[in-house]
mmCIF file of all heavy atoms in Angstrom:
data_model
loop_
_atom_site.group_PDB
_atom_site.id
_atom_site.type_symbol
_atom_site.label_atom_id
_atom_site.label_comp_id
_atom_site.label_asym_id
_atom_site.label_seq_id
_atom_site.Cartn_x
_atom_site.Cartn_y
_atom_site.Cartn_z
ATOM 1 N N PHE A 1 0.837 -1.138 -0.003
ATOM 2 C CA PHE A 1 -0.038 0.017 -0.005
ATOM 3 C C PHE A 1 0.880 1.249 0.013
ATOM 4 O O PHE A 1 1.750 1.386 0.830
ATOM 5 C CB PHE A 1 -0.872 0.034 1.200
ATOM 6 C CG PHE A 1 -1.854 -1.036 1.326
ATOM 7 C CD1 PHE A 1 -2.398 -1.556 2.646
ATOM 8 C CD2 PHE A 1 -2.458 -1.634 0.185
ATOM 9 C CE1 PHE A 1 -3.287 -2.567 2.673
ATOM 10 C CE2 PHE A 1 -3.341 -2.702 0.224
ATOM 11 C CZ PHE A 1 -3.796 -3.076 1.538
ATOM 12 N N CYS A 2 0.536 2.134 -0.861
ATOM 13 C CA CYS A 2 1.302 3.476 -0.974
ATOM 14 C C CYS A 2 0.403 4.662 -0.726
ATOM 15 O O CYS A 2 -0.869 4.466 -1.078
ATOM 16 C CB CYS A 2 1.960 3.569 -2.409
ATOM 17 S SG CYS A 2 2.866 5.052 -2.660
ATOM 18 N N GLU A 3 0.874 5.557 -0.162
ATOM 19 C CA GLU A 3 0.134 6.788 0.156
ATOM 20 C C GLU A 3 -0.603 7.441 -0.969
ATOM 21 O O GLU A 3 -1.594 8.189 -0.866
ATOM 22 C CB GLU A 3 0.801 7.731 1.023
ATOM 23 C CG GLU A 3 1.388 7.331 2.347
ATOM 24 C CD GLU A 3 2.811 6.818 2.186
ATOM 25 O OE1 GLU A 3 3.167 6.308 1.118
ATOM 26 O OE2 GLU A 3 3.473 6.690 3.287
ATOM 27 N N SER A 4 0.004 7.239 -2.156
ATOM 28 C CA SER A 4 -0.650 7.809 -3.357
ATOM 29 C C SER A 4 -1.804 6.890 -3.944
ATOM 30 O O SER A 4 -2.525 7.270 -4.854
ATOM 31 C CB SER A 4 0.345 7.990 -4.439
ATOM 32 O OG SER A 4 1.038 6.650 -4.731
ATOM 33 N N ASP A 5 -2.010 5.672 -3.349
ATOM 34 C CA ASP A 5 -3.070 4.866 -3.864
ATOM 35 C C ASP A 5 -4.511 5.515 -3.351
ATOM 36 O O ASP A 5 -4.608 6.271 -2.451
ATOM 37 C CB ASP A 5 -3.052 3.449 -3.129
ATOM 38 C CG ASP A 5 -1.895 2.631 -3.627
ATOM 39 O OD1 ASP A 5 -1.330 3.056 -4.623
ATOM 40 O OD2 ASP A 5 -1.368 1.697 -2.810
ATOM 41 N N GLY A 6 -5.440 5.091 -4.193
ATOM 42 C CA GLY A 6 -6.838 5.532 -3.899
ATOM 43 C C GLY A 6 -7.395 4.869 -2.652
ATOM 44 O O GLY A 6 -6.950 3.662 -2.377
ATOM 45 N N VAL A 7 -8.146 5.621 -1.764
ATOM 46 C CA VAL A 7 -8.657 5.069 -0.552
ATOM 47 C C VAL A 7 -10.075 5.373 -0.445
ATOM 48 O O VAL A 7 -10.558 5.800 0.518
ATOM 49 C CB VAL A 7 -7.883 5.549 0.688
ATOM 50 C CG1 VAL A 7 -6.526 4.888 0.773
ATOM 51 C CG2 VAL A 7 -7.732 7.039 0.640
ATOM 52 N N ASP A 8 -10.745 5.195 -1.561
ATOM 53 C CA ASP A 8 -12.291 5.483 -1.646
ATOM 54 C C ASP A 8 -13.143 4.269 -1.515
ATOM 55 O O ASP A 8 -14.295 4.393 -1.776
ATOM 56 C CB ASP A 8 -12.525 6.222 -2.986
ATOM 57 C CG ASP A 8 -11.685 7.489 -3.130
ATOM 58 O OD1 ASP A 8 -11.572 8.202 -2.109
ATOM 59 O OD2 ASP A 8 -11.277 7.825 -4.222
ATOM 60 N N HIS A 9 -12.602 3.186 -1.001
ATOM 61 C CA HIS A 9 -13.592 2.039 -0.889
ATOM 62 C C HIS A 9 -13.394 1.338 0.455
ATOM 63 O O HIS A 9 -12.827 0.186 0.526
ATOM 64 C CB HIS A 9 -13.184 1.029 -1.985
ATOM 65 C CG HIS A 9 -13.443 1.572 -3.428
ATOM 66 N ND1 HIS A 9 -12.428 2.229 -4.137
ATOM 67 C CD2 HIS A 9 -14.561 1.635 -4.147
ATOM 68 C CE1 HIS A 9 -12.919 2.664 -5.297
ATOM 69 N NE2 HIS A 9 -14.250 2.216 -5.244
ATOM 70 N N PRO A 10 -13.606 2.114 1.517
ATOM 71 C CA PRO A 10 -13.542 1.441 2.921
ATOM 72 C C PRO A 10 -14.485 0.271 3.096
ATOM 73 O O PRO A 10 -15.604 0.281 2.492
ATOM 74 C CB PRO A 10 -13.888 2.670 3.778
ATOM 75 C CG PRO A 10 -14.825 3.523 2.953
ATOM 76 C CD PRO A 10 -14.335 3.478 1.648
ATOM 77 N N LEU A 11 -13.957 -0.697 3.869
ATOM 78 C CA LEU A 11 -14.781 -1.869 4.191
ATOM 79 C C LEU A 11 -15.519 -1.874 5.492
ATOM 80 O O LEU A 11 -16.141 -2.819 5.886
ATOM 81 C CB LEU A 11 -13.928 -3.071 3.923
ATOM 82 C CG LEU A 11 -13.304 -3.241 2.573
ATOM 83 C CD1 LEU A 11 -12.401 -4.550 2.467
ATOM 84 C CD2 LEU A 11 -14.436 -3.129 1.530
ATOM 85 N N SER A 12 -15.284 -0.913 6.263
ATOM 86 C CA SER A 12 -15.967 -0.762 7.650
ATOM 87 C C SER A 12 -16.212 0.628 7.928
ATOM 88 O O SER A 12 -15.438 1.544 7.333
ATOM 89 C CB SER A 12 -15.087 -1.417 8.721
ATOM 90 O OG SER A 12 -13.879 -0.663 8.851
ATOM 91 N N LEU A 13 -17.030 0.893 8.842
ATOM 92 C CA LEU A 13 -17.361 2.327 9.302
ATOM 93 C C LEU A 13 -16.024 2.901 9.973
ATOM 94 O O LEU A 13 -15.755 4.063 9.845
ATOM 95 C CB LEU A 13 -18.526 2.377 10.197
ATOM 96 C CG LEU A 13 -18.854 3.817 10.673
ATOM 97 C CD1 LEU A 13 -19.302 4.711 9.507
ATOM 98 C CD2 LEU A 13 -19.956 3.735 11.670
ATOM 99 N N TYR A 14 -15.384 1.972 10.797
ATOM 100 C CA TYR A 14 -14.093 2.452 11.337
ATOM 101 C C TYR A 14 -13.122 3.065 10.362
ATOM 102 O O TYR A 14 -12.608 4.085 10.539
ATOM 103 C CB TYR A 14 -13.460 1.288 12.046
ATOM 104 C CG TYR A 14 -12.029 1.493 12.552
ATOM 105 C CD1 TYR A 14 -11.729 2.496 13.541
ATOM 106 C CD2 TYR A 14 -10.960 0.944 11.950
ATOM 107 C CE1 TYR A 14 -10.442 2.754 14.010
ATOM 108 C CE2 TYR A 14 -9.685 1.259 12.325
ATOM 109 C CZ TYR A 14 -9.413 2.128 13.377
ATOM 110 O OH TYR A 14 -8.128 2.434 13.695
ATOM 111 N N ALA A 15 -12.979 2.337 9.194
ATOM 112 C CA ALA A 15 -12.066 2.787 8.159
ATOM 113 C C ALA A 15 -12.593 4.065 7.603
ATOM 114 O O ALA A 15 -11.849 4.967 7.306
ATOM 115 C CB ALA A 15 -11.948 1.726 7.057
ATOM 116 N N ALA A 16 -13.920 4.143 7.334
ATOM 117 C CA ALA A 16 -14.522 5.406 6.793
ATOM 118 C C ALA A 16 -14.236 6.647 7.665
ATOM 119 O O ALA A 16 -13.948 7.705 7.218
ATOM 120 C CB ALA A 16 -15.945 5.256 6.591
ATOM 121 N N THR A 17 -14.369 6.450 8.975
ATOM 122 C CA THR A 17 -14.079 7.604 9.914
ATOM 123 C C THR A 17 -12.583 7.931 9.857
ATOM 124 O O THR A 17 -12.295 9.172 9.989
ATOM 125 C CB THR A 17 -14.517 7.186 11.353
ATOM 126 O OG1 THR A 17 -13.735 6.164 11.895
ATOM 127 C CG2 THR A 17 -15.878 6.861 11.516
ATOM 128 N N LYS A 18 -11.716 7.060 9.742
ATOM 129 C CA LYS A 18 -10.329 7.361 9.642
ATOM 130 C C LYS A 18 -9.951 8.073 8.345
ATOM 131 O O LYS A 18 -9.125 9.062 8.272
ATOM 132 C CB LYS A 18 -9.472 6.095 9.809
ATOM 133 C CG LYS A 18 -9.399 5.497 11.134
ATOM 134 C CD LYS A 18 -8.836 6.566 12.203
ATOM 135 C CE LYS A 18 -8.719 6.070 13.630
ATOM 136 N NZ LYS A 18 -8.129 7.081 14.547
ATOM 137 N N ARG A 19 -10.606 7.756 7.279
ATOM 138 C CA ARG A 19 -10.410 8.459 6.081
ATOM 139 C C ARG A 19 -11.051 9.799 6.165
ATOM 140 O O ARG A 19 -10.511 10.827 5.689
ATOM 141 C CB ARG A 19 -11.039 7.670 4.902
ATOM 142 C CG ARG A 19 -10.956 8.459 3.544
ATOM 143 C CD ARG A 19 -9.553 8.869 3.175
ATOM 144 N NE ARG A 19 -9.513 9.500 1.894
ATOM 145 C CZ ARG A 19 -8.494 10.348 1.567
ATOM 146 N NH1 ARG A 19 -7.551 10.678 2.423
ATOM 147 N NH2 ARG A 19 -8.507 10.986 0.367
ATOM 148 N N ALA A 20 -12.193 9.922 6.838
ATOM 149 C CA ALA A 20 -12.753 11.233 7.117
ATOM 150 C C ALA A 20 -11.855 12.110 7.833
ATOM 151 O O ALA A 20 -11.746 13.369 7.637
ATOM 152 C CB ALA A 20 -14.163 10.997 7.815
ATOM 153 N N ASN A 21 -11.163 11.589 8.863
ATOM 154 C CA ASN A 21 -10.208 12.319 9.574
ATOM 155 C C ASN A 21 -9.209 12.965 8.627
ATOM 156 O O ASN A 21 -8.716 14.153 8.819
ATOM 157 C CB ASN A 21 -9.496 11.534 10.562
ATOM 158 C CG ASN A 21 -10.327 11.144 11.790
ATOM 159 O OD1 ASN A 21 -9.982 10.293 12.626
ATOM 160 N ND2 ASN A 21 -11.492 11.734 11.967
ATOM 161 N N GLU A 22 -8.650 12.313 7.692
ATOM 162 C CA GLU A 22 -7.575 12.795 6.854
ATOM 163 C C GLU A 22 -8.195 13.910 6.001
ATOM 164 O O GLU A 22 -7.560 14.910 5.735
ATOM 165 C CB GLU A 22 -7.138 11.662 5.895
ATOM 166 C CG GLU A 22 -6.402 10.501 6.618
ATOM 167 C CD GLU A 22 -6.072 9.367 5.698
ATOM 168 O OE1 GLU A 22 -6.403 9.349 4.498
ATOM 169 O OE2 GLU A 22 -5.357 8.435 6.190
ATOM 170 N N LEU A 23 -9.406 13.809 5.568
ATOM 171 C CA LEU A 23 -10.138 14.885 4.760
ATOM 172 C C LEU A 23 -10.268 16.038 5.613
ATOM 173 O O LEU A 23 -10.085 17.202 5.142
ATOM 174 C CB LEU A 23 -11.385 14.408 4.167
ATOM 175 C CG LEU A 23 -11.141 13.153 3.192
ATOM 176 C CD1 LEU A 23 -12.600 12.653 2.684
ATOM 177 C CD2 LEU A 23 -10.409 13.609 1.974
ATOM 178 N N MET A 24 -10.754 15.851 6.833
ATOM 179 C CA MET A 24 -10.980 17.053 7.758
ATOM 180 C C MET A 24 -9.680 17.723 7.997
ATOM 181 O O MET A 24 -9.648 18.974 8.028
ATOM 182 C CB MET A 24 -11.690 16.522 9.018
ATOM 183 C CG MET A 24 -13.004 15.938 8.857
ATOM 184 S SD MET A 24 -13.611 14.920 10.217
ATOM 185 C CE MET A 24 -13.899 16.131 11.428
ATOM 186 N N ALA A 25 -8.636 17.014 8.210
ATOM 187 C CA ALA A 25 -7.260 17.492 8.528
ATOM 188 C C ALA A 25 -6.941 18.431 7.332
ATOM 189 O O ALA A 25 -6.384 19.529 7.557
ATOM 190 C CB ALA A 25 -6.230 16.489 8.837
ATOM 191 N N HIS A 26 -7.055 17.938 6.142
ATOM 192 C CA HIS A 26 -6.599 18.685 4.906
ATOM 193 C C HIS A 26 -7.385 19.994 4.854
ATOM 194 O O HIS A 26 -6.823 21.141 4.535
ATOM 195 C CB HIS A 26 -6.895 17.933 3.555
ATOM 196 C CG HIS A 26 -6.373 18.733 2.492
ATOM 197 N ND1 HIS A 26 -7.236 19.587 1.767
ATOM 198 C CD2 HIS A 26 -5.159 18.777 1.887
ATOM 199 C CE1 HIS A 26 -6.510 20.051 0.769
ATOM 200 N NE2 HIS A 26 -5.230 19.654 0.881
ATOM 201 N N THR A 27 -8.733 19.946 5.195
ATOM 202 C CA THR A 27 -9.570 21.197 5.149
ATOM 203 C C THR A 27 -8.873 22.271 6.172
ATOM 204 O O THR A 27 -8.694 23.491 5.833
ATOM 205 C CB THR A 27 -10.909 20.916 5.495
ATOM 206 O OG1 THR A 27 -11.446 19.956 4.574
ATOM 207 C CG2 THR A 27 -11.805 22.182 5.547
ATOM 208 N N TYR A 28 -8.501 21.774 7.305
ATOM 209 C CA TYR A 28 -8.004 22.739 8.287
ATOM 210 C C TYR A 28 -6.584 23.239 7.970
ATOM 211 O O TYR A 28 -6.182 24.392 8.273
ATOM 212 C CB TYR A 28 -8.018 22.171 9.732
ATOM 213 C CG TYR A 28 -9.376 22.413 10.419
ATOM 214 C CD1 TYR A 28 -10.531 21.905 9.881
ATOM 215 C CD2 TYR A 28 -9.508 23.297 11.544
ATOM 216 C CE1 TYR A 28 -11.772 22.047 10.501
ATOM 217 C CE2 TYR A 28 -10.728 23.551 12.088
ATOM 218 C CZ TYR A 28 -11.921 22.861 11.634
ATOM 219 O OH TYR A 28 -13.107 23.235 12.175
ATOM 220 N N SER A 29 -5.751 22.300 7.437
ATOM 221 C CA SER A 29 -4.510 22.780 6.903
ATOM 222 C C SER A 29 -4.694 23.788 5.816
ATOM 223 O O SER A 29 -3.843 24.724 5.825
ATOM 224 C CB SER A 29 -3.702 21.493 6.344
ATOM 225 O OG SER A 29 -3.426 20.621 7.415
ATOM 226 N N HIS A 30 -5.617 23.580 4.950
ATOM 227 C CA HIS A 30 -5.803 24.524 3.756
ATOM 228 C C HIS A 30 -6.302 25.919 4.354
ATOM 229 O O HIS A 30 -5.795 26.913 3.895
ATOM 230 C CB HIS A 30 -6.693 23.909 2.785
ATOM 231 C CG HIS A 30 -7.172 24.829 1.749
ATOM 232 N ND1 HIS A 30 -6.327 25.288 0.705
ATOM 233 C CD2 HIS A 30 -8.355 25.407 1.435
ATOM 234 C CE1 HIS A 30 -6.953 26.052 -0.156
ATOM 235 N NE2 HIS A 30 -8.221 26.181 0.362
ATOM 236 N N LEU A 31 -7.354 25.808 5.022
ATOM 237 C CA LEU A 31 -8.095 26.933 5.464
ATOM 238 C C LEU A 31 -7.325 27.870 6.578
ATOM 239 O O LEU A 31 -7.273 29.101 6.474
ATOM 240 C CB LEU A 31 -9.414 26.756 6.010
ATOM 241 C CG LEU A 31 -10.419 26.184 5.024
ATOM 242 C CD1 LEU A 31 -11.727 25.743 5.811
ATOM 243 C CD2 LEU A 31 -10.704 27.200 3.940
ATOM 244 N N TYR A 32 -6.617 27.108 7.442
ATOM 245 C CA TYR A 32 -6.041 27.823 8.611
ATOM 246 C C TYR A 32 -4.536 27.642 8.677
ATOM 247 O O TYR A 32 -3.892 28.260 9.721
ATOM 248 C CB TYR A 32 -6.720 27.304 9.850
ATOM 249 C CG TYR A 32 -8.236 27.515 9.770
ATOM 250 C CD1 TYR A 32 -9.073 26.359 9.884
ATOM 251 C CD2 TYR A 32 -8.852 28.660 9.578
ATOM 252 C CE1 TYR A 32 -10.415 26.302 9.760
ATOM 253 C CE2 TYR A 32 -10.215 28.683 9.584
ATOM 254 C CZ TYR A 32 -11.069 27.564 9.620
ATOM 255 O OH TYR A 32 -12.348 27.637 9.557
ATOM 256 N N GLY A 33 -3.882 26.937 7.846
ATOM 257 C CA GLY A 33 -2.422 26.814 7.759
ATOM 258 C C GLY A 33 -1.883 25.904 8.870
ATOM 259 O O GLY A 33 -0.787 26.035 9.373
ATOM 260 N N ILE A 34 -2.793 25.030 9.497
ATOM 261 C CA ILE A 34 -2.354 24.212 10.588
ATOM 262 C C ILE A 34 -1.595 23.013 9.961
ATOM 263 O O ILE A 34 -2.113 22.208 9.207
ATOM 264 C CB ILE A 34 -3.480 23.662 11.429
ATOM 265 C CG1 ILE A 34 -4.295 24.806 11.979
ATOM 266 C CG2 ILE A 34 -2.985 22.717 12.458
ATOM 267 C CD1 ILE A 34 -5.695 24.397 12.583
ATOM 268 N N PRO A 35 -0.322 22.793 10.392
ATOM 269 C CA PRO A 35 0.436 21.675 9.815
ATOM 270 C C PRO A 35 -0.170 20.478 10.428
ATOM 271 O O PRO A 35 -0.299 20.253 11.666
ATOM 272 C CB PRO A 35 1.920 21.845 10.386
ATOM 273 C CG PRO A 35 1.924 23.374 10.548
ATOM 274 C CD PRO A 35 0.623 23.763 11.138
ATOM 275 N N THR A 36 -0.492 19.407 9.615
ATOM 276 C CA THR A 36 -1.120 18.184 10.095
ATOM 277 C C THR A 36 -0.409 17.012 9.348
ATOM 278 O O THR A 36 -0.157 17.084 8.130
ATOM 279 C CB THR A 36 -2.719 18.104 9.791
ATOM 280 O OG1 THR A 36 -2.913 18.119 8.330
ATOM 281 C CG2 THR A 36 -3.395 19.297 10.397
ATOM 282 N N THR A 37 -0.257 15.930 10.176
ATOM 283 C CA THR A 37 0.371 14.695 9.607
ATOM 284 C C THR A 37 -0.561 13.568 10.148
ATOM 285 O O THR A 37 -0.784 13.308 11.316
ATOM 286 C CB THR A 37 1.749 14.388 10.095
ATOM 287 O OG1 THR A 37 2.596 15.497 9.634
ATOM 288 C CG2 THR A 37 2.218 13.093 9.519
ATOM 289 N N GLY A 38 -1.161 12.765 9.215
ATOM 290 C CA GLY A 38 -1.928 11.564 9.510
ATOM 291 C C GLY A 38 -0.943 10.354 9.336
ATOM 292 O O GLY A 38 -0.302 10.192 8.311
ATOM 293 N N LEU A 39 -1.047 9.518 10.383
ATOM 294 C CA LEU A 39 -0.156 8.327 10.299
ATOM 295 C C LEU A 39 -1.026 7.170 10.219
ATOM 296 O O LEU A 39 -1.782 6.822 11.067
ATOM 297 C CB LEU A 39 0.663 8.190 11.545
ATOM 298 C CG LEU A 39 1.866 9.319 11.636
ATOM 299 C CD1 LEU A 39 2.457 9.154 13.104
ATOM 300 C CD2 LEU A 39 2.793 9.210 10.518
ATOM 301 N N ARG A 40 -0.879 6.311 9.072
ATOM 302 C CA ARG A 40 -1.616 5.197 8.827
ATOM 303 C C ARG A 40 -0.983 3.956 9.555
ATOM 304 O O ARG A 40 -0.021 3.403 8.952
ATOM 305 C CB ARG A 40 -1.777 4.933 7.353
ATOM 306 C CG ARG A 40 -2.704 6.011 6.693
ATOM 307 C CD ARG A 40 -2.730 5.859 5.182
ATOM 308 N NE ARG A 40 -3.651 6.822 4.558
ATOM 309 C CZ ARG A 40 -3.669 7.072 3.348
ATOM 310 N NH1 ARG A 40 -2.966 6.395 2.468
ATOM 311 N NH2 ARG A 40 -4.674 8.079 2.874
ATOM 312 N N PHE A 41 -1.386 3.604 10.701
ATOM 313 C CA PHE A 41 -0.747 2.518 11.500
ATOM 314 C C PHE A 41 -1.105 1.150 10.817
ATOM 315 O O PHE A 41 -2.250 0.905 10.453
ATOM 316 C CB PHE A 41 -1.233 2.489 12.956
ATOM 317 C CG PHE A 41 -0.855 3.773 13.693
ATOM 318 C CD1 PHE A 41 -1.715 4.346 14.710
ATOM 319 C CD2 PHE A 41 0.391 4.344 13.529
ATOM 320 C CE1 PHE A 41 -1.323 5.366 15.379
ATOM 321 C CE2 PHE A 41 0.731 5.482 14.223
ATOM 322 C CZ PHE A 41 -0.107 6.026 15.264
ATOM 323 N N PHE A 42 -0.129 0.321 10.897
ATOM 324 C CA PHE A 42 -0.261 -1.067 10.346
ATOM 325 C C PHE A 42 -0.084 -2.119 11.550
ATOM 326 O O PHE A 42 0.947 -2.278 12.048
ATOM 327 C CB PHE A 42 0.764 -1.396 9.305
ATOM 328 C CG PHE A 42 0.480 -0.764 8.008
ATOM 329 C CD1 PHE A 42 0.418 0.566 7.739
ATOM 330 C CD2 PHE A 42 0.066 -1.678 6.934
ATOM 331 C CE1 PHE A 42 0.112 1.042 6.511
ATOM 332 C CE2 PHE A 42 -0.347 -1.177 5.699
ATOM 333 C CZ PHE A 42 -0.276 0.144 5.475
ATOM 334 N N THR A 43 -1.224 -2.681 12.084
ATOM 335 C CA THR A 43 -1.294 -3.822 12.962
ATOM 336 C C THR A 43 -0.211 -3.653 14.080
ATOM 337 O O THR A 43 0.856 -4.505 14.050
ATOM 338 C CB THR A 43 -1.103 -5.183 12.258
ATOM 339 O OG1 THR A 43 -1.971 -5.100 11.077
ATOM 340 C CG2 THR A 43 -1.583 -6.274 13.243
ATOM 341 N N VAL A 44 -0.402 -2.713 14.889
ATOM 342 C CA VAL A 44 0.513 -2.572 16.094
ATOM 343 C C VAL A 44 0.407 -3.594 17.125
ATOM 344 O O VAL A 44 -0.698 -3.931 17.506
ATOM 345 C CB VAL A 44 0.382 -1.188 16.605
ATOM 346 C CG1 VAL A 44 1.396 -0.835 17.587
ATOM 347 C CG2 VAL A 44 0.209 -0.124 15.544
#
């Protein structure tokens, strides 16, 4: 999985909320200049 891959087909609501977080973060970074980094954790 690469960060440039499409992520538009979540298989659970949990996954959908995490993708929503990424989109929300981008909005705040764009509108207000807040530096944001989303980390996609893999089976910790």
Side-chain angles (χ1 to χ4, degrees):
F1 295 151
C2 180
E3 296 93 338
S4 59
D5 291 341
V7 286
D8 297 323
H9 300 89
L11 301 183
S12 67
L13 182 64
Y14 168 70
T17 63
K18 287 300 182 180
R19 178 55 181 151
N21 287 171
E22 295 175 355
L23 298 174
M24 294 163 72
H26 183 269
T27 302
Y28 272 67
S29 294
H30 171 73
L31 291 174
Y32 308 115
I34 302 168
T36 65
T37 299
L39 294 175
R40 293 172 176 172
F41 295 144
F42 280 70
T43 316
V44 189

